[in-house]
Amino acid sequence: MERMKIVKTQDLCTSIPVCRIIKTEVQKKDDGNWIVVAAVDHDRAVTLARYPTKDEALAAEMRMWLCDEPSYYFPIIGGDV
């Protein structure tokens, strides 16, 4: 049986199976603050991470989808995956 890939939010408080994520998008929250948001099946939207630049947010979002590991943790600003 194949293990389910899990995504953990940047604050490590929420875990979501990738199969429940319908889509993700990067949104500008306010001046200098970009967030990665997931639309989750049968649930409310969840903020996965915050970054100071759009490029960092987009890179983290893309790494989440491309990750081959059983779990993905959104990196802290300037951190490694």
Side-chain angles (χ1 to χ4, degrees), residues 4 19 21 27 36 45 57 68 70 72 79:
M4 185 181 328
C19 64
I21 298 175
Q27 300 174 354
V36 180
D68 289 335
Y72 177 80

Side-chain angles (χ1 to χ4, degrees), residues 4 14 18 26 34 41 43-45 51-52 54 58 70 76-77:
M4 185 181 328
T14 305
V18 167
V26 172
W34 293 84
D41 186 30
D43 208 347
R44 60 180 173 74
Y51 295 98
K54 184 178 183 180
L58 287 170
I76 305 296
I77 299 167

Side-chain angles (χ1 to χ4, degrees), residues 8 19 21 30-31 35 40 51 70 75:
K8 288 203 100 13
C19 64
I21 298 175
D30 52 36
D31 191 36
I35 59 174
V40 181
Y51 295 98

Side-chain angles (χ1 to χ4, degrees), residues 2 7 11 14 16 25 31 44 53 61-62 71 75 81:
E2 187 176 323
V7 173
D11 62 6
T14 305
I16 305 166
E25 60 182 36
D31 191 36
R44 60 180 173 74
T53 67
E61 176 195 30
M62 182 174 47
S71 51
V81 175

Side-chain angles (χ1 to χ4, degrees), residues 63-75:
R63 285 191 302 261
M64 181 203 85
W65 288 113
L66 298 176
C67 177
D68 289 335
E69 299 298 318
S71 51
Y72 177 80
Y73 301 84
F74 274 87

